[in-house]
């Protein structure tokens, strides 16, 4: 019965990027995961009736790049070659393992021919884009070496900053870690009217963390602890590079910030204590600029920041760093590891610099911050189809399994609430599921057998439907395994259209650590990824328009995603 997965796994280990890249032994957590089927089969031909405005070939392959002094680092890297369209579509990031920055206009018809030279299956997903299900990069569309996956879609999104990255089940985390990721910017006429800083004054900042061995090779998660918490590297990379100051002029800049890390959460703040001026989030511009003392940025989230160096004297140095915070890691881990996260020498929640700006040029032509940025409708509860029965997304954390809605990815078929009618507006509620587990006297035994949790879906319908205003029992009650707390923060990402967060409620007993992050939790604008803190209950409204088919939702802590903390909606 388990012959098939085992064969897949063995082949994966033999040929995986990790193997090729010379890790002495396969990470132990690999054996506990569902490996992607080594057979691809996701290849498809172009549609002869589709006339693209823009077309490029995207290739993923192994390369070596210079990141540290000394030997080059072996990575996996996206490269691209433009076939049709203006050359602004692709901007290579020299010396970086990141894929080229892609720049598109709303309304463009796009064709991408994706192939790879990796020995394990992969597939590319357009994180943040509203595209048909068949174009979304579903794990089942993974292709093997030699196959080509053709994507064809129209750019429907408003202006925004998105991500392209691999999405094969069980290997997303390792492939992203090895380097496969890139940024994708969409422009639209509403944004163009604002005259926001552009060209040299628009700077993408992709934040990632990595660990290197003595030969400058990437080191990845090696134990259960790192798998459970998510992998944190001990060096911060910005756009695939380490350190170094960015030289700026004394004027306003637009920083397009992406958290491209596997699991690291940042609390972004300026070294001089000034506010972070946010003009946009995952799904594009806000209505008006918003000022925050700091902003939390979890894996998969993006931020559009107005950075004004106007009036700064030559030589001024300003640093964007991560400020100290608590509460995103399980207390169990904190007490066991003395506050250290996994093996990282740079614990999540500690203070460290990320990127430094040095004013080296005087300018007097700075644009001013617009008071109004964008107009869009605010979704209201009286517009949703299911006001009294929110679709639950129950976060289930245990040392043995990280789950959403009681089932690991790929098991049990769609639960009733996972089937959503097309062109509907839905209320969703994300919450931690400890209370339900407690009430049902769930034993350690049950935790070891994910299939033994069949009752959970049923239970959740009750919680989602009746208990939604209840307030935070779960947060305070997250006890398991002899009194240890097991509750951590999860960035929950929903494929398909962007949503709006309508409320956040924190449970009793979590207020103290919550206080260190709450003023920077992003709830404004259109989002596709939302950071849910321990004990927190987040409600959101999401449209499921235009496209039928299967759309994933998952934790964007990529180790969690690969562990099965991923489910699907069937839009019908
Ligand atoms: Cu950025 Cu389904 O992922
Ligand atoms: Cu996505
Ligand atoms: Cu998670």
């Amino acid at each position: 019965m388990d012959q098939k997965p085992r064969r897949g796994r063995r082949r994966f280990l033999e040929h995986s990027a990790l193997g090729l890249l010379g890790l002495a032994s396969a990470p132990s957590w690999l054996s506990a995961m569902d490996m992607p089927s080594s057979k691809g089969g996701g290849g498809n031909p172009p549609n002869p009736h589709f006339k693209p405005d823009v077309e490029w070939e995207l290739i993923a392959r192994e390369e070596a790049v210079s990141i540290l002094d000394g030997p080059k680092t072996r990575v996996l890297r996206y490269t691209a070659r433009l076939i049709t369209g203006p050359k602004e579509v692709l901007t290579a990031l020299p010396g970086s393992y990141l894929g080229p920055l892609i720049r598109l206009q709303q309304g463009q018809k796009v064709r991408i021919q994706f192939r790879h030279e990796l020995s394990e299956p992969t597939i590319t997903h357009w994180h943040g884009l509203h595209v048909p299900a068949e174009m979304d990069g579903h794990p089942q569309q993974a292709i093997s070496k030699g196959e080509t996956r053709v994507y064809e879609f129209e750019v429907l999104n408003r202006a925004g900053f998105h991500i392209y990255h691999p999405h094969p089940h069980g290997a997303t985390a390792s492939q992203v870690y090895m380097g496969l990721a890139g940024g994708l910017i969409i422009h639209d006429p509403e944004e163009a009217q604002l005259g926001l800083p552009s060209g040299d004054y628009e700077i993408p900042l992709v934040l990632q963390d990595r660990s290197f061995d003595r030969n400058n090779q990437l080191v990845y998660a090696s134990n259960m602890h790192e798998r459970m918490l998510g992998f944190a590297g001990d060096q911060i990379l910005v756009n695939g590079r380490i350190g170094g100051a960015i030289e700026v002029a004394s004027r306003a800049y637009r920083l397009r910030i992406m958290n491209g890390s596997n699991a690291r959460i940042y609390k972004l703040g300026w070294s001089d204590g000034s506010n972070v001026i946010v003009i946009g989030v995952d799904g594009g511009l806000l209505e008006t600029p918003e000022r925050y003392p700091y902003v939390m940025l979890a894996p998969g989230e993006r931020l559009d920041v107005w950075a004004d160096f106007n009036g700064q004297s030559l030589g001024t140095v300003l640093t964007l760093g991560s400020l100290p915070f608590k509460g995103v890691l399980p207390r169990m881990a904190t007490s066991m590891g003395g506050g250290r996260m996994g093996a990282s020498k740079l614990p999540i929640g500690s203070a460290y610099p990320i990127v430094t700006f040095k004013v080296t040029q005087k300018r007097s032509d700075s644009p001013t911050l617009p008071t109004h940025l964008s107009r869009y409708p605010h979704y209201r509860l009286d517009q949703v189809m299911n006001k009294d029965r929110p679709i639950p997304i129950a976060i289930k954390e245990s040392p043995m399994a990280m789950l959403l809605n009681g089932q690991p990815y790929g098991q049990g078929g769609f639960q009733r609430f996972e089937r959503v009618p097309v062109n509907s507006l839905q209320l969703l509620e994300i919450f931690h599921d400890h209370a339900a587990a407690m009430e049902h006297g769930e034993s350690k035994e049950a935790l070891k057998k994910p299939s033994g949790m069949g009752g959970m879906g049923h239970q959740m319908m009750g919680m989602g439907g009746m208990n939604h205003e209840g307030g935070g029992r779960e947060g305070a009650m997250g006890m398991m395994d002899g009194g240890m707390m097991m509750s951590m923060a999860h960035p929950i990402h929903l494929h398909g259209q962007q949503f709006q967060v309508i409320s956040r409620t924190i449970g009793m007993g979590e207020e103290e650590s919550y206080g260190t992050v709450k003023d920077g939790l992003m709830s404004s604008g259109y989002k596709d990824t939302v950071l849910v803190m321990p004990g927190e209950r987040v409600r959101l409204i999401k449209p499921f328009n235009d496209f039928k088919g299967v759309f994933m939702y998952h934790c964007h802590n990529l180790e969690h995603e690969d562990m099965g903390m991923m489910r699907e909606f069937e839009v019908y």
Side-chain angles (χ1 to χ4, degrees), residues 170-349:
T172 294
S174 59
Q175 291 186 3
V176 169
Y177 186 76
M178 295 311 297
L180 292 180
L184 189 157
I185 288 177
I186 293 171
H187 295 294
D188 69 11
E190 185 190 45
E191 178 201 40
Q193 277 189 348
L194 296 171
L196 296 171
S198 63
D200 287 348
Y201 308 114
E202 180 194 19
I203 305 179
L205 298 171
V206 177
L207 313 185
Q208 296 176 308
D209 53 340
R210 296 290 183 267
S211 294
F212 298 87
D213 67 14
R214 266 184 259 113
N215 297 316
N216 291 352
Q217 302 311 310
L218 290 166
V219 176
Y220 188 47
S222 56
N223 60 42
M224 169 66 185
H225 203 228
E226 286 173 323
R227 168 192 167 212
M228 198 178 79
L229 300 177
F231 182 74
D234 47 31
Q235 301 217 47
I236 302 298
L237 276 70
V238 177
N239 297 333
R241 320 276 308 166
I242 286 185
I246 297 180
E247 301 197 343
V248 293
S250 58
R251 53 157 283 154
Y253 281 74
R254 183 179 188 188
L255 308 179
R256 317 291 301 253
I257 308 174
M258 172 205 300
N259 185 344
S261 311
N262 281 31
R264 182 176 292 273
I265 297 169
Y266 303 89
K267 177 179 177 176
L268 299 177
W270 288 109
S271 52
D272 67 351
S274 58
N275 282 329
V276 181
I277 301 175
V278 178
I279 60 172
V281 293
D282 306 348
L285 293 169
L286 299 176
E287 290 177 303
T288 57
E290 296 181 6
R291 290 170 169 78
Y292 293 85
Y294 57 84
V295 183
M296 302 305 296
L297 196 69
E301 288 189 299
R302 288 86 74 205
L303 215 53
D304 205 339
V305 167
W306 180 273
D308 204 344
F309 307 108
N310 196 10
Q312 304 277 10
S313 45
L314 284 181
T316 302
V317 171
L318 271 169
T319 299
L320 189 65
S322 193
L323 308 174
F325 61 96
K326 291 192 290 192
V328 305
L329 295 180
R331 280 172 215 178
M332 192 174 73
T334 316
S335 60
M336 277 167 35
R340 283 174 29 133
M341 159 124 179
S344 180
K345 292 182 207 109
L346 193 67
I348 294 180

Side-chain angles (χ1 to χ4, degrees), residues 73-89:
T73 304
R74 285 173 300 239
V75 296
L76 303 181
R77 186 180 184 206
Y78 285 122
T79 55
R81 183 179 63 87
L82 193 64
I83 299 170
T84 315
K87 64 177 193 318
E88 297 76 49
V89 169

Side-chain angles (χ1 to χ4, degrees), residues 138-140 409-410 414 418-419 550-553 566-570:
H138 190 279
Q140 281 181 355
Y409 175 70
F414 299 106
E418 290 174 324
R419 302 192 67 245
V550 174
F551 291 91
M552 285 169 284
Y553 64 99
M566 174 157 79
R567 296 287 306 168
E568 298 166 328
F569 288 117
E570 185 190 28

Side-chain angles (χ1 to χ4, degrees), residues 125-128 165 167 493 495 554:
H125 164 59
W126 318 98
H127 176 133
H165 66 74
H167 220 300
H493 169 53
H495 285 220
H554 59 86

Side-chain angles (χ1 to χ4, degrees), residues 389-390 392 394 404-407 412 414-418 431 433 436-437 439-440 452-467 567:
R389 267 166 69 111
L404 294 179
N405 285 332
Q407 293 274 1
F414 299 106
Q415 302 180 61
R416 186 156 59 90
F417 50 83
E418 290 174 324
F431 55 95
D433 200 20
E439 273 162 20
H440 278 60
M453 296 193 221
M456 294 301 300
H458 180 70
Q459 166 66 11
M460 242 113 50
M461 281 310 286
M463 293 207 49
M466 331 272 275
N467 201 24
R567 296 287 306 168

